[in-house]
Amino acid sequence: MSLESSDDEEMLSLSTSELTSTLTSLDKYAFLLHSALIDFLSPFYGTSHFPALIEIKSAVGGLESALFAEEILGMYVELANRCGWEATVMENNRMEQGGCRDAVLQISRDAKKRKWEGEDEGEDGADDSDPFGGPFGRLRWESGVHRVQRVPATESKGRTHTSTVGVVVLPMDPHAESPTLASIHIDPKDIRMDTFRASGPGGQHVNKVETAVRLTHFPSGLVVANQETRSQHENKARAYALLRARLLDRQLQEEASLRASSRKAQIKSFDRSEKIRTYNFPDGRVTDHRLPLTLNVLNDVLHGGPSLDVFAEHLKQKEDDEKLDWVLTTG
């Protein structure tokens, strides 16, 4: 082999190595750009790592709906425990016959309870090891109407009844240490606070003292209330937390509308009145109507198991694909 031929082979090998390295870098940057674009187009851009505030309300079905609402509440508590997050029931208005009329659950990251190994926290507070970023990024897919099909205990003829429960998941400002330190500014002059006696099933502390708190925010027209604890101060703090979450959610919805001005993109992003999931007890199956996807995993889902993650992963991928398709088709 001549010296000239050897030099050519060495140059070719070096060029091939450099080309491979360059292509690898381009792939990496393309992936990062794709991820950043998808995140930016999300209706809740930059909030995935936020704590989540889940509002659960019984709807169609009376007592059966209230009983299922309590099961849904327990499902999210168990999901939080499995993920190493902290779950706090901020409000639970139970019915005398059983079940809950409505409830509010706060889920946030708790460093002492983290179960995932090797978790790293990004500069924005996001959990780099969590594909969803954190509680709100994981739970926002739960907003919508949840439908249950089963035979109630009071049904004498064995007929299957259909009931519904409404769920709304709101982002909470993780930097708000108290109602006055929130990034969502609330002017005390814009608030009217009313106190009243707590209502609910029996108990020596019910209807004795005006510990329940109702806040009316005049600029937005929002009204929130809390009567979960025996402390008026604690109930006031919880009511403020719920009000801040709703105001933040409204702000994010408005910003999302500005970023996605086309009606098509707005419709695809989110619809809280949409029937999202059916829990069929006779067949032991769960159907997510947004995908659609049906799995025979009812028991695992109701216990906050990994099957819930499967639905969330599919929904995230579906949203990512739709956002990218919108960008490509609209230019």
Side-chain angles (χ1 to χ4, degrees):
M1 180 182 295
S2 66
L3 180 60
E4 182 178 351
S5 176
S6 177
D7 289 342
D8 289 343
E9 289 183 3
E10 184 177 348
M11 182 64 70
L12 178 60
S13 176
L14 181 60
S15 299
T16 301
S17 177
E18 290 180 351
L19 178 60
T20 301
S21 177
T22 300
L23 291 175
T24 300
S25 297
L26 287 175
D27 286 342
K28 176 183 178 181
Y29 289 126
F31 173 78
L32 292 174
L33 180 61
H34 173 271
S35 299
L37 178 61
I38 293 300
D39 287 344
F40 178 73
L41 290 172
S42 167
F44 299 102
Y45 173 61
T47 60
S48 293
H49 64 287
F50 280 22
L53 199 67
I54 306 176
E55 296 185 75
I56 302 168
K57 295 181 181 294
S58 60
V60 177
L63 176 58
E64 181 63 18
S65 174
L67 292 171
F68 190 60
E70 192 160 60
E71 290 181 67
I72 290 290
L73 174 63
M75 178 179 76
Y76 294 135
V77 170
E78 291 196 56
L79 184 151
N81 290 334
R82 176 172 61 84
C83 293
W85 297 332
E86 182 177 12
T88 303
V89 178
M90 300 181 66
E91 181 88 358
N92 187 1
N93 295 317
R94 305 192 78 256
M95 298 178 64
E96 290 187 9
Q97 307 96 314
C100 71
R101 182 177 292 104
D102 54 76
V104 178
L105 177 68
Q106 176 184 328
I107 295 182
S108 56
R109 295 170 61 202
D110 185 347
K112 295 180 181 179
K113 295 172 63 179
R114 304 267 287 280
K115 296 180 181 178
W116 293 323
E117 295 183 359
E119 290 183 77
D120 297 316
E121 190 173 281
E123 293 182 1
D124 61 353
D127 180 359
D128 292 339
S129 68
D130 183 352
F132 297 100
F136 181 69
R138 167 61 188 81
L139 291 162
R140 69 183 182 89
W141 311 105
E142 298 300 309
S143 286
V145 177
H146 295 241
R147 185 175 69 168
V148 58
Q149 296 175 326
R150 63 183 174 187
V151 179
T154 55
E155 172 57 55
S156 59
K157 297 183 179 180
R159 291 173 298 186
T160 299
H161 291 216
T162 298
S163 305
T164 61
V165 170
V167 174
V168 175
V169 182
L170 306 173
M172 293 187 68
D173 185 352
H175 305 298
E177 299 175 0
S178 73
T180 59
L181 296 178
S183 60
I184 295 295
H185 176 68
I186 299 177
D187 191 332
K189 298 178 182 178
D190 294 334
I191 295 289
R192 184 184 74 213
M193 186 180 86
D194 300 306
T195 59
F196 56 97
R197 294 180 180 180
S199 60
Q204 60 178 341
H205 297 284
V206 176
N207 296 323
K208 300 291 184 179
V209 184
E210 291 190 347
T211 57
V213 173
R214 180 188 301 110
L215 300 178
T216 302
H217 186 246
F218 297 118
S220 66
L222 292 174
V223 179
V224 299
N226 191 280
Q227 60 175 22
E228 182 66 15
T229 75
R230 300 172 187 172
S231 165
Q232 184 185 108
H233 177 76
E234 178 64 21
N235 288 335
K236 177 182 176 182
R238 293 184 176 202
Y240 262 102
L242 178 56
L243 177 60
R244 286 200 314 274
R246 289 185 178 175
L247 288 172
L248 176 59
D249 177 68
R250 178 173 293 188
Q251 175 182 308
L252 291 169
Q253 292 281 4
E254 292 173 353
E255 291 175 355
S257 296
L258 291 175
R259 288 197 304 272
S261 57
S262 96
R263 180 61 179 165
K264 177 182 177 183
Q266 291 179 38
I267 292 174
K268 283 186 176 181
S269 65
F270 205 53
D271 183 0
R272 285 176 178 153
S273 63
E274 176 188 8
K275 178 185 69 178
I276 66 165
R277 194 176 294 151
T278 294
Y279 306 75
N280 184 285
F281 277 67
D283 297 333
R285 57 180 167 81
V286 179
T287 299
D288 196 297
H289 302 285
R290 295 163 292 184
L291 294 170
L293 175 65
T294 297
L295 299 174
N296 295 319
V297 291
L298 178 64
N299 188 63
D300 185 63
V301 164
L302 290 178
H303 285 86
S307 298
L308 274 172
D309 298 339
V310 174
F311 288 115
E313 289 163 0
H314 280 81
L315 288 165
K316 183 178 186 302
Q317 185 60 54
K318 182 173 185 283
E319 182 186 79
D320 290 351
D321 292 343
E322 289 178 344
K323 295 299 182 185
L324 188 58
D325 179 65
W326 176 73
V327 171
L328 296 175
T329 55
T330 59

